[in-house]
Amino acid sequence: MAESVELPSRLGILPFKNKVLLPGAIIRIRCTSPSSVKLVEQELWQREEKGLIGILPVRDAAESASVGPVLSQGVGSESGERGSRVQVGTSDSHRLDGKNQQEVIHWHTRGVAARALHLSRGVEKPSGRVTYVVVLEGLCRFSVQELSTRGTYYTARISPLEMTKSEMEQVEQDPEFITLSRQFKATATELISVLEQKQKTGGRTKVLLETVPVHKLADIFVASFEISFEEQLCMLDSVDLKVRLSKATELVDRHLQSIHVAEKITQKVEGQLSKSQKEFLLRQQMRAIKEELGDNDDDEDDVVALERKMQSSGMPSNIWKHAQRELRRLKKMQPQQPGYNSSRVYLELLADLPWQKASEEYELDLRVAKERLDSDHYGLAKVKQRIIEYLAVRKLKPDARGPVLCFVGPPGVGKTSLASSIAAALGRKFIRISLGGVKDEADIRGHRRTYIGSMPGRLIDGVKRVAVCNPVMLLDEIDKTGSDVRGDPASALLEVLDPEQNKTFNDHYLNVPFDLSKVIFVATANRVQPIPPALLDRMEVIELPGYTPEEKLKIAMHHLIPRVLDQHGLTSEFLKIPEAMVKLVIQGYTREAGVRNLERNLAALARAAAVRVAEQEPAVSPIKDVHSLASPLLENRLADGAEVEMEVIPMGVNNHEISSTFKIASPLTVDEDMLEKVLGPPRFDDKEAAERVATPGVSVGLVWTSVGGEVQFVEATAMGGKGELHLTGQLGDVIKESAQIALTWVRARARDLLLATADETNLLEGRDVHIHFPAGAVPKDGPSAGVTLVTALVSLFSQKRVRADTAMTGEMTLRGLVLPVGGIKDKVLAAHRCGIKRVILPERNLKDLIEVPSAVLSGLEIIVAKRMEDVLEQAFDGGCPWRQHSKL
């Protein structure tokens, strides 16, 4: 609360454009111009608590033209005011807007002395400009006697306009003043009671009426209202206390009357409503407001506007006839009827759908499209080539019905971003529809309008949102749809993805055909197997394999690190991640097909760097608050942002440009110690395979999962028992049968492989065999572990260790043939990631190696096997010494 202060003879002047600061009011400003920055720095920053400045209102040039070249003091006839006029600003020029031209300042001759309650200083990047954020409190009025300049800002010789203590005591005995005071307090009390009743607040505000002098209370109340600039000047010029109280009472009463008018409108509306009409409260309030204003124009009602919107939507003639029938039905209904809202929402959907509105495509430039794909994605040469081929066909025949592309691959390899790149290359809008977990056919076709809460399907809703009939629509996670009693969404997609059928797609809610043939559909999936064959037949599958470590390194350096730094508010000036450290992260902390875990680890390093940067002292620190800003009624009206000398900032908002100015001595460079401190010890190393196969009975297999290829160890051990086979590791039926086949094959050839002597007729006599697949929490199934199981059993019975640098995959038969399996590319990439040097593959899978990057093949020794004996020959050190005894 402002108290009496002793003013100096001269004050630095800060101009307020079209805004007045009254005594007792609080305002927050941001000073950016050189003159205001210099004023704040010399008059407030350097003097701290003792600093005072003068706030002087100035006018716009357009407004001052109507007032005249010489601005008066406002109310010059009030008793106790000085009758002289001071010509200030008719020829003074000052750069208020920061531009090169000089503008004439039309000064007001009275202002308010102010002090800083809070002051903070900052430096903007990259210009280095110093700015100040100041919270000012008005203290008392003054009159300008002489205006001059001091460097880049203005100063003024002033004289106080506040009464002395003796004069104040004399005025307080005046009967007219006492009457005005009582009238003002009564009006203010009524206003506070109304506000507290509406806002359900406590009685804290009433304390002001009892503790603050009434002449100061008048300024505080008026400062909290939104009034015109002329009224603010009039209040500022009211030096006489009786005139000030009279004007304040008038403004408070006007504000109170506006609240009463609003309450009258609300009561009038509530009196007209019955219990069945309460849902239309907002519409009735609008009608009552129009009646109060005398505006009863009902021609532009909602139904007329809806009809006009439907006419301009461009819907086909047969659909327009259907819409007209619905519209005529709507006009005959009353708003309170149950079906009114549903019919109106349905017609609004018809009007909002883009029946003919389409995106204007760019002139396709294949070179630019290829550059765009290369900049957004690293590698994926085959996928990019297929997209370029698709775009080339679109360029030669724009109305061609292209295939539905389905990108299949593990998470994090860029399937979704490829679809958005296609949309960007074509210049079309992009919409993504997630199908993961969808089990209701109505999500695709929509609900019938007979149901309560019915709505259109996701496809029609997506087309409505993008507002064009030819977007690129991504059907994400199409392999994760389910089915139950509510239908099969995958079957509903058959019509959507068939170019011969989707031109008359019939949504159950829409109930009229909609043309989806102009939509370019792109689907993504992690696996092909869950997709129904009929749906898969309508799509062209493009497989996206996992990335090699070399590709991950390039992606991290060119894409992930810049993005992670930007997301964490850092730059290369704060954090540097060398290429060697990125390699360590790839090799020791991530073994995945995509790059999501790699990005998470890089983000962890960025967070650690952000903590260090945030702990540094800012370039300049704000001074402590001088006074508390808490005041019940003083949620003061802030100055408009158009102020040139200053920019007003909301009280509760932190300025990022000021508060986040940090400096560090040198950038933080990631090293091995920091990696282990932030990410922990390495999770993977190349010695894992050697340690796992150090004992006989363990072999290394390659499997394929929905997240890419993986290395799978198979462990076998023997113990006393009755010749039984025990299997653990959460295995499926197929892999259990593969284990039984492997054991049968080994038992049948035990003598040929020198696993049993001539006297032994049963290899399992007196003992049981236990086979375990580690990572028991992960479900496992499939036939590709057949050769791995045989190798583990042979190693167990012969007590010879399998080579640690060799991994294998392949299905086997009872006759010992090695059959081809799927996912060869992902399995080879997994072996390369895990440091495997030799890979044994079925001979008939040799053709699949053409898809494996040459950089990966150059680091691996690929061994093909036609029979099981070929696998055993290469799986053990020194070959298979017992092969010569084999009869096969």
Side-chain angles (χ1 to χ4, degrees):
M1 192 61 60
E3 64 269 2
S4 298
V5 294
E6 182 178 351
L7 297 181
S9 59
R10 300 193 70 86
L11 280 178
I13 299 299
L14 180 64
F16 265 30
K17 190 174 182 180
N18 297 332
K19 181 68 181 177
V20 175
L21 177 66
L22 293 174
I26 298 175
I27 194 170
R28 185 177 184 179
I29 63 172
R30 180 174 179 235
C31 299
T32 58
S33 66
S35 59
S36 59
V37 168
K38 193 69 174 177
L39 169 67
V40 172
E41 189 170 281
Q42 293 191 0
E43 302 294 336
L44 296 179
W45 181 269
Q46 296 179 1
R47 299 186 183 184
E48 296 183 350
E49 294 88 346
K50 299 180 180 180
L52 295 175
I53 61 173
I55 305 300
L56 206 58
V58 296
R59 292 178 180 270
D60 277 335
E63 296 183 1
S64 61
S66 62
V67 180
V70 180
L71 299 181
S72 68
Q73 301 182 55
V75 185
S77 60
E78 295 175 0
S79 59
E81 295 188 8
R82 296 174 175 83
S84 63
R85 290 174 179 264
V86 181
Q87 295 187 1
V88 180
T90 57
S91 60
D92 290 335
S93 295
H94 186 59
R95 191 175 300 168
L96 282 180
D97 57 357
K99 299 180 181 179
N100 294 329
Q101 70 268 22
Q102 299 288 333
E103 291 187 0
V104 176
I105 302 178
H106 301 274
W107 301 91
H108 196 67
T109 56
R110 286 178 179 160
V112 172
R115 65 181 174 187
L117 296 182
H118 179 79
L119 184 61
S120 60
R121 179 182 180 187
V123 180
E124 291 184 347
K125 287 185 176 181
S127 63
R129 183 174 62 171
V130 176
T131 60
Y132 284 92
V133 174
V134 190
V135 179
L136 294 174
E137 179 189 20
L139 299 178
C140 57
R141 293 173 173 82
F142 64 79
S143 177
V144 178
Q145 302 299 319
E146 179 186 357
L147 192 65
S148 60
T149 59
R150 178 184 296 170
T152 59
Y153 64 89
Y154 280 85
T155 63
R157 183 167 57 85
I158 64 169
S159 61
L161 295 179
E162 298 294 331
M163 293 184 177
T164 63
K165 185 176 181 181
S166 59
E167 292 175 340
M168 190 66 208
E169 291 177 352
Q170 182 178 357
V171 172
E172 289 177 348
Q173 302 300 323
D174 189 342
E176 183 181 358
F177 177 80
I178 295 174
T179 302
L180 289 172
S181 299
R182 292 174 179 173
Q183 184 179 1
F184 173 78
K185 285 190 174 182
T187 308
T189 303
E190 184 179 358
L191 175 62
I192 291 174
S193 299
V194 172
L195 293 177
E196 289 180 346
Q197 184 179 4
K198 289 173 65 66
Q199 301 173 1
K200 299 295 188 294
T201 59
R204 298 177 301 169
T205 311
K206 293 183 179 179
V207 179
L208 286 173
L209 298 175
E210 302 172 358
T211 58
V212 179
V214 67
H215 64 283
K216 295 183 179 181
L217 198 62
D219 288 329
I220 294 175
F221 267 75
V222 173
S224 64
F225 300 152
E226 187 173 355
I227 58 178
S228 66
F229 181 54
E230 294 300 330
E231 290 174 323
Q232 294 177 14
L233 288 178
C234 187
M235 193 66 189
L236 176 64
D237 292 330
S238 301
V239 179
D240 185 88
L241 298 187
K242 291 183 287 186
V243 174
R244 188 187 309 173
L245 282 177
S246 177
K247 293 184 180 299
T249 303
E250 178 184 350
L251 292 173
V252 172
D253 185 67
R254 188 176 70 184
H255 189 72
L256 184 61
Q257 293 303 321
S258 66
I259 296 177
H260 287 326
V261 171
E263 290 180 345
K264 180 181 177 182
I265 293 175
T266 303
Q267 292 173 0
K268 185 177 180 180
V269 172
E270 291 176 351
Q272 296 175 355
L273 294 180
S274 64
K275 292 183 179 180
S276 62
Q277 294 174 315
K278 286 185 179 180
E279 60 189 76
F280 303 104
L281 177 62
L282 294 176
R283 185 181 300 278
Q284 294 294 336
Q285 284 181 337
M286 186 179 297
R287 185 176 303 170
I289 291 173
K290 287 184 177 180
E291 291 177 0
E292 193 72 17
L293 296 175
D295 184 9
N296 295 320
D297 185 12
D298 293 329
D299 293 335
E300 285 289 330
D301 60 359
D302 292 341
V303 177
V304 175
L306 178 60
E307 184 177 9
R308 186 180 295 109
K309 186 177 180 181
M310 291 170 59
Q311 291 173 349
S312 61
S313 63
M315 62 181 66
S317 58
N318 60 328
I319 299 174
W320 170 244
K321 293 179 182 178
H322 172 77
Q324 281 184 315
R325 288 196 301 269
E326 288 286 338
L327 185 62
R328 287 194 297 267
R329 178 171 170 266
L330 179 69
K331 289 180 178 179
K332 296 177 182 178
M333 300 173 65
Q334 295 297 324
Q336 57 266 29
Q337 287 186 243
Y340 181 86
N341 274 343
S342 61
S343 295
R344 180 177 169 181
V345 171
Y346 174 69
L347 289 175
E348 287 179 348
L349 174 63
L350 290 178
D352 289 337
L353 283 176
W355 299 96
Q356 295 181 0
K357 183 181 178 182
S359 299
E360 184 177 351
E361 296 189 5
Y362 302 146
E363 182 179 354
L364 282 176
D365 189 335
L366 298 183
R367 182 182 57 82
V368 174
K370 190 174 186 304
E371 291 176 354
R372 174 66 182 267
L373 289 172
D374 289 338
S375 64
D376 292 345
H377 306 85
Y378 184 83
L380 305 177
K382 182 180 178 181
V383 179
K384 293 179 183 176
Q385 181 60 32
R386 181 61 187 89
I387 295 176
I388 294 298
E389 292 171 359
Y390 174 78
L391 296 179
V393 175
R394 297 285 306 180
K395 182 176 183 180
L396 298 178
K397 188 175 176 58
D399 58 345
R401 294 181 178 178
V404 178
L405 302 180
C406 180
F407 298 127
V408 177
V413 296
K415 301 185 294 295
T416 303
S417 57
L418 276 172
S420 62
S421 297
I422 295 176
L426 290 172
R428 295 194 181 190
K429 291 188 177 181
F430 177 73
I431 179 70
R432 173 183 170 271
I433 297 178
S434 178
L435 299 179
V438 172
K439 295 183 178 181
D440 192 350
E441 180 189 356
D443 281 327
I444 307 299
R445 293 188 181 273
H447 302 81
R448 300 191 185 275
R449 291 174 57 202
T450 54
Y451 295 102
I452 297 176
S454 59
M455 62 183 66
R458 297 193 182 192
L459 302 178
I460 294 297
D461 182 65
V463 172
K464 173 191 170 184
R465 280 188 284 136
V466 295
V468 290
C469 63
N470 63 340
V472 174
M473 184 174 291
L474 174 65
L475 304 177
D476 207 8
E477 309 293 354
I478 199 172
D479 60 325
K480 295 178 177 60
T481 59
S483 61
D484 57 12
V485 294
R486 294 171 293 180
D488 184 7
S491 299
L493 287 172
L494 294 177
E495 179 187 1
V496 175
L497 301 183
D498 192 335
E500 299 297 331
Q501 301 180 38
N502 60 14
K503 58 185 177 182
T504 57
F505 175 71
N506 197 336
D507 185 273
H508 289 161
Y509 181 86
L510 199 61
N511 204 28
V512 291
F514 187 85
D515 187 5
L516 291 177
S517 61
K518 298 178 182 178
V519 179
I520 296 178
F521 291 100
V522 180
T524 67
N526 294 129
R527 296 188 300 159
V528 176
Q529 289 78 6
I531 303 177
L535 182 59
L536 190 63
D537 182 62
R538 283 166 167 77
M539 300 184 294
E540 179 181 345
V541 176
I542 299 177
E543 294 187 357
L544 278 72
Y547 294 112
T548 64
E550 292 77 13
E551 291 174 333
K552 289 184 180 181
L553 179 62
K554 297 291 184 182
I555 293 171
M557 301 305 296
H558 294 93
H559 297 277
L560 299 184
I561 292 179
R563 183 168 67 193
V564 166
L565 292 179
D566 181 67
Q567 290 174 350
H568 292 78
L570 300 173
T571 64
S572 57
E573 299 177 358
F574 296 107
L575 177 64
K576 292 186 180 297
I577 306 179
E579 188 173 309
M581 295 300 103
V582 178
K583 287 183 179 179
L584 287 179
V585 175
I586 295 172
Q587 295 171 359
Y589 295 90
T590 62
R591 280 191 180 174
E592 55 172 346
V595 292
R596 285 182 180 166
N597 282 331
L598 175 59
E599 185 174 5
R600 292 189 186 101
N601 285 307
L602 294 176
L605 296 174
R607 290 193 298 271
V611 171
R612 174 179 172 181
V613 173
E615 287 176 347
Q616 301 295 322
E617 290 295 330
V620 290
S621 56
I623 64 173
K624 295 183 178 179
D625 289 357
V626 181
H627 292 278
S628 173
L629 300 182
S631 182
L633 247 188
L634 297 183
E635 294 181 359
N636 298 285
R637 315 301 302 182
L638 299 180
D640 295 333
E643 176 59 37
V644 179
E645 279 281 347
M646 63 191 182
E647 176 188 345
V648 177
I649 302 174
M651 298 290 287
V653 176
N654 293 325
N655 189 298
H656 177 73
E657 295 179 352
I658 295 177
S659 62
S660 61
T661 303
F662 296 96
K663 292 182 179 179
I664 58 175
S666 61
L668 177 63
T669 302
V670 177
D671 54 16
E672 293 187 22
D673 293 337
M674 181 177 178
L675 281 182
E676 189 164 349
K677 181 179 179 181
V678 176
L679 303 180
R683 301 182 183 92
F684 311 102
D685 56 53
D686 295 341
K687 300 179 181 179
E688 181 182 6
E691 295 173 353
R692 298 285 288 271
V693 300
T695 58
V698 182
S699 59
V700 185
L702 297 174
V703 297
W704 185 90
T705 67
S706 60
V707 295
E710 296 287 345
V711 169
Q712 175 67 60
F713 294 92
V714 177
E715 301 176 349
T717 187
M719 55 194 168
K722 300 178 181 180
E724 297 177 352
L725 174 63
H726 304 278
L727 299 173
T728 55
Q730 201 170 347
L731 309 179
D733 293 337
V734 177
I735 202 169
K736 289 180 180 179
E737 293 175 355
S738 297
Q740 191 63 56
I741 293 171
L743 182 60
T744 300
W745 188 86
V746 172
R747 291 177 65 186
R749 288 154 181 80
R751 294 183 182 179
D752 299 331
L753 298 176
L754 301 181
L755 301 179
T757 62
D759 298 334
E760 291 180 318
T761 59
N762 186 2
L763 189 62
L764 296 181
E765 185 176 357
R767 56 182 173 180
D768 292 346
V769 175
H770 187 168
I771 299 177
H772 176 63
F773 286 73
V778 180
K780 308 169 189 71
D781 203 0
S784 61
V787 296
T788 313
L789 287 164
V790 171
T791 305
L793 290 173
V794 172
S795 173
L796 172 66
F797 292 131
S798 66
Q799 289 299 301
K800 292 193 63 175
R801 292 181 297 178
V802 180
R803 293 186 57 161
D805 60 349
T806 303
M808 61 198 72
T809 183
E811 180 182 0
M812 68 161 293
T813 68
L814 279 175
R815 305 296 297 171
L817 297 177
V818 180
L819 302 183
V821 292
I824 292 298
K825 185 176 183 179
D826 292 305
K827 293 176 180 179
V828 172
L829 291 177
H832 183 260
R833 285 197 303 269
C834 296
I836 300 295
K837 302 301 182 183
R838 303 167 77 241
V839 176
I840 302 176
L841 300 177
E843 186 180 44
R844 290 164 60 184
N845 280 124
L846 191 61
K847 61 182 183 301
D848 298 319
L849 294 177
I850 192 173
E851 300 179 0
V852 182
S854 58
V856 175
L857 291 177
S858 62
L860 293 174
E861 179 185 354
I862 304 298
I863 302 168
V864 295
K866 187 175 182 180
R867 301 186 61 85
M868 194 60 228
E869 287 85 351
D870 301 329
V871 177
L872 298 176
E873 178 72 19
Q874 299 294 334
F876 295 92
D877 285 323
C880 182
W882 51 83
R883 183 172 183 174
Q884 57 184 340
H885 301 278
S886 178
K887 298 180 180 180
L888 296 178

